[in-house]
């Protein structure tokens, strides 16, 4: 049996983040799924506002378009917690396309009616609030918080950083009375397992969620022509 | 490797529907998932109002409770398109519990921003509307329609019935300008593949969606203690 | 003239709470209303999560069903601040059925556009938020708070407890800028008069509200067949 | 025992409508309630837009203000289906003030999760929609319809008119799948009993609802200072 | 070319506020706009609750009605941050009528997706929240705050007062993470330029916004008959 | 006095549409405004889905970025009725950026509480519904309709086409009971004056609205740094 390929498009240029995304995805994927992860080689190193998103979208779309005759790729993941270009991407292919923010939110809503989100910079809070409103999770999202660090500062998972995020999560759990937290940035994704164990509630990230949801859609053969 | 068991709880007493649910689930499940499907032997033959739902809920909960020491069951599906007892069920087990209505809606929202729903009796329309509001899918659900037949009339998939549902779907697609339809009753679930082929848009049912989402949650090890 | 009977169904097993509910109801009722208050003899002593609610609902429904030929009972009250089984109960009888949470909220909304709610455990906050959303009181409910005590600890109205609740209400009034507070648990109901006098704003509980609303519906002869 | 007085303020000048409001209220009131119904002698004969509402409000407020030392009046009803001046009126007195639109809507929401409204002119439809949105009944109000006649044409309850309204209600019930209808104009109120019998579902009007709700608030001693 | 007249209706009686409104409007208006500002000579000196609003509305409407044959007046502004009588006023004239609250909110929403509002007394907070809900700005309005001073105390722009408002704005900016603030009272309007410079984000008031929007509507010839 | 320049960015490549946009803008602009209209020379001839939007956005942003040192350009208009790239564009300049969809909607909401929208293809209806939801105009937008023609078929304003649009508008007015209509495509904009006269209600287009709103923001000196 041929493996089904899921192509993950990291819209930033960071090799480190791309590698981590790839690792998480491969660890999550079914044995008959093959993961291919690309990055935006000539793109920016992090995506932290609407401009950054807008600029990386054409590359995301190009990455999908160039596979239009590739019958082995059965689904696409946009690996940025703003889901840039999602609806446009879906117009390009009959195969499923999923963003990691929507993936994390849908998965979380299946286990929790009171989750909070932790993102990078304060500027991103209203950006994520907009996603929450659009996707319909307003009533079950308690709050959106920021660790007040840029993606580039979060990329290196120093002990100090991990401690800081862990503490922030503890405060969020106490104040929001939430029972799960979504990590709102792919650069934080590798910390989700560690934090889940330490904090004793699910700390969810979007890449693994997206991989499983794409596998689900492929398996259910749900294609919009 | 031991198979992971998903226990499907059909809250009605119908052998026919239970058999069909089991078949769909087994056809959908991963090779390392084992499906067990139960019915409410002393229950009612169909669930078509809030009273029916309320009455079947304790049995659903009993079915979960009695497995509390069974370490092989890794998730539960409530196989009725009203998701009866869902939040109560989740309080009984750290393993995921999913309703087929929420499953179908979440899955559909990943591929479509304009879906409609076809249910059995007109009485069920506001019941499903309430689910749509609660789950946050108000902005992407075009409309909810009824085929105006009780579950017991829908159970037998006569040519006539299938024709009738097919025609109704065609009218829905035309009037609602939707690009997918959710079948809002487990008794219609076996028709989804046929209808998808005939109508050329995804006609989604909840059982297969729920199986894949439970497998996803199991795989992601997302448990709320 | 025969008295009109309102049957109050306390879904928990507590004799003390049942007695208090009965007293409040009798003090509130019109001279031509007769109050009958039942408890769930074999039920649980308090209802504090979705499982508790689900388990008590069939008994609530049985209490209504067994009166189906009793022409003197003209209405029913579900005396638990989660309104368990409300819509199911309404399907069983043409006479009105009211939950004490909806009763308190509707009554409060007639005198206030900024009320808060005080409930028992933090776990109940999102449960009550869901009711607020469903009933449409989102824009006028400032906030929902918890006294962080279980029903069983609230049952005994010690001086210490009353002081604690009074203080909490003062803080709520100050922080929320609200002009009335709903007591979100029948075990707190007996304190409403005392608190109203002490705090100088209406501290509303659901039992008396429900009695008057049922009398209203009976008097208006509003029955859904 | 002194009777408690409810003062009903009809903001239009029509003697006929005032008389009918008074009759409905007296037929509904408890034996120990006294009804006083005023009209706006120098006002307009019907209220059909925002200007009409705005102009009658100061007179409504004057009618309340002039009773400020009258200790026998225990509540006020604004008898116009737009609830003009409601929040302003509440600022003038510690006694309850209720509008007939909110009264009808709250009462209906206690028995129905799918009601429709029938009003006079098409112009009033968005006016009533605004009330529905403000009061939080958006999810349970199916639709708002107009009989396409001005208040003055509706005032005389000719056989022809009654037939016309009855037929319109039948169409509404069929198309909206609603299980109750609110009559959205005091001039239609006297028809509610007749229509309820003919149509076999509750056809609700606001005056009787408001009388019972005021009696309820008086009885519960719920006053905002 | 004849100048186009915009008539500004200050619904309170304050000469000082009227003068300031007039000055702001004249400083903002195009060279071919003529500003006429009236006050409610026999009215109240400030508008701080629903009663005050209701009482001033007939005068607002009279001010519009008396110009019905004046072909030079091309638009009206209601200069009170509650937009009293707005929809009624629009029924009286085919020329545009704008309230300063809606003006400030629409203008702000064109430059900001996260604004806060600063009003006078705490009592006004839910009044403004109601406007925000009605006008549809719920998702982009972070918060509404009060300086806890009545209009009459705000009228005199002492150094102390200005300092107090400036400090309050700094706290709002910090806590709400907003990028603009609307001054929710015409008595604060003259401070907007000063505060904008000091705080380095737009501090928006409604009079100038309303003047430009009326000029816009006049220029676009958008009249509802 | 130097004229203030507003740069209009037409994100499609059509010379005809660009010329018409320029003409409308120049006819609307103040005497001291200078209009510069650009098109996306190497872009697509019409924008009719999310992909088209995504692809044209970087060019829109480039058009703004290249003026970063041009001190004469005081504002930007994105002349496509999907407001592509709006929030990203605002991050690039302290000067105001307005989309023609938001412009038309804000302007219309100042004169109407019941408007409908007419767009090109059925595919665009949910796209525009999303804008309505995001911008907060859900409660005052009656409906969104499609003329069922692509932009390229609408570009040529043949007698036949104009008749078709006029007829469609008449049907919309009758069915929706709306009192204004927004033309949801820049290719229909030149017809607004003719249709306004023929249909006797405001038929609003976004270019002229956007020009006046930019002039307003410039005049009010409202810049977000």
């Amino acid at each position: 049996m041929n493996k089904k390929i899921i192509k993950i498009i990291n819209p930033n240029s960071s090799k480190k983040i791309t590698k981590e995304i790839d690792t998480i995805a491969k660890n999550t994927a079914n044995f008959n799924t093959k993961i291919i992860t690309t990055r935006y080689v000539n793109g920016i190193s992090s995506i932290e506002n609407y401009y950054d998103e807008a600029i990386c979208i054409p590359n995301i779309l190009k990455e999908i378009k160039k596979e239009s005759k590739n019958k082995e790729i059965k689904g696409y993941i946009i690996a940025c917690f703003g889901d840039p270009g999602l609806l446009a991407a879906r117009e390009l292919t009959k195969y499923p396309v999923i963003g990691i923010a929507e993936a994390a939110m849908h998965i979380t809503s299946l286990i929790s009616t009171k989750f909070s989100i932790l993102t990078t910079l304060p500027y991103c809070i209203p950006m994520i609030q907009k996603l929450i409103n659009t996707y319909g999770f307003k009533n079950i999202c308690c709050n959106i918080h920021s660790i007040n660090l840029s993606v580039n500062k979060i990329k290196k998972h120093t002990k100090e950083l991990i401690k800081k995020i862990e503490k922030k999560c503890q405060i969020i759990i106490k104040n929001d009375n939430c029972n799960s937290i979504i990590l709102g940035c792919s650069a934080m994704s590798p910390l989700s397992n560690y934090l889940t164990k330490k904090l004793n509630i699910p700390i969810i990230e979007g890449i693994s969620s997206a991989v499983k949801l794409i596998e689900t859609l492929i398996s259910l053969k749900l294609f919009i022509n």
Side-chain angles (χ1 to χ4, degrees), chain A residues 124-157:
Chain A
C124 299
I125 292 176
M127 295 175 75
I128 293 178
Q129 186 62 55
K130 202 160 170 264
L131 289 180
I132 286 283
N133 296 347
T134 301
Y135 294 158
F137 296 116
K138 209 173 177 175
N139 285 339
I140 59 175
C141 176
C142 304
N143 225 327
I144 305 169
H145 303 269
S146 131
I147 192 73
N148 209 6
L149 292 171
S150 71
V151 172
N152 284 321
K153 293 237 166 99
I154 289 172
K155 259 192 307 201
K156 286 178 219 154
H157 299 142

Side-chain angles (χ1 to χ4, degrees), chain A residues 18-35:
Chain A
T18 309
K19 185 76 182 58
E20 288 170 350
I21 290 171
D22 193 64
T23 303
I24 294 172
K26 280 176 178 151
N27 288 343
T28 319
N30 278 344
F31 77 103
N32 60 345
T33 299
K34 184 174 163 190
I35 299 290

Side-chain angles (χ1 to χ4, degrees), chain A residues 23-222:
Chain A
T23 303
I24 294 172
K26 280 176 178 151
N27 288 343
T28 319
N30 278 344
F31 77 103
N32 60 345
T33 299
K34 184 174 163 190
I35 299 290
I36 295 177
T37 307
T38 67
R39 64 186 171 101
Y40 185 5
V41 180
N42 301 313
I44 39 180
S45 67
S46 69
I47 292 165
E48 296 178 302
N49 54 42
Y50 286 112
Y51 177 77
D52 294 347
E53 283 190 8
I55 285 308
C56 73
I57 289 174
N59 185 65
I60 295 171
L61 302 176
K62 209 191 298 172
E63 288 288 347
I64 293 172
K65 244 189 158 172
K66 78 179 179 201
E67 310 293 0
S68 63
K69 285 179 187 163
N70 184 338
K71 292 193 173 173
E72 286 168 51
I73 297 186
K74 301 298 191 205
Y76 300 86
I77 290 169
I78 300 171
C80 168
F81 202 87
D83 295 352
L86 183 62
L87 294 178
R90 286 195 186 141
E91 290 171 346
L92 288 182
T93 169
K94 67 171 190 169
Y95 296 112
V97 184
I98 287 185
I100 64 170
E102 62 165 356
M105 291 172 192
H106 280 283
I107 287 298
T108 303
S109 76
L110 292 171
I111 58 166
S112 165
T113 57
K114 37 181 183 171
F115 65 82
S116 288
I117 299 179
L118 178 61
T119 186
T120 55
L121 293 171
Y123 188 85
C124 299
I125 292 176
M127 295 175 75
I128 293 178
Q129 186 62 55
K130 202 160 170 264
L131 289 180
I132 286 283
N133 296 347
T134 301
Y135 294 158
F137 296 116
K138 209 173 177 175
N139 285 339
I140 59 175
C141 176
C142 304
N143 225 327
I144 305 169
H145 303 269
S146 131
I147 192 73
N148 209 6
L149 292 171
S150 71
V151 172
N152 284 321
K153 293 237 166 99
I154 289 172
K155 259 192 307 201
K156 286 178 219 154
H157 299 142
T158 61
K159 271 195 188 172
E160 207 188 341
L161 177 86
I162 295 173
K163 203 72 214 159
K164 193 176 175 172
I165 292 179
E166 192 181 329
K167 273 198 181 158
K168 182 76 183 176
C169 285
Q170 280 166 337
I171 296 168
I172 292 172
I173 293 166
K174 191 159 171 256
N175 291 348
D176 292 0
N177 191 29
C178 62
N179 64 5
S180 59
I181 295 175
I182 295 176
L183 298 175
C185 172
S186 61
M188 287 194 246
S189 285
L191 306 177
S192 74
N193 286 340
Y194 171 82
L195 290 168
T196 296
K197 266 169 219 152
K198 287 293 251 183
L199 296 162
N200 217 18
I201 64 166
I203 308 299
I204 295 155
E205 62 80 39
I207 298 156
S208 53
S209 300
V211 168
K212 300 317 285 183
L213 287 176
I214 283 286
E215 287 178 344
T216 289
L217 294 175
I218 293 170
S219 159
L220 295 174
K221 298 190 189 68
L222 293 177

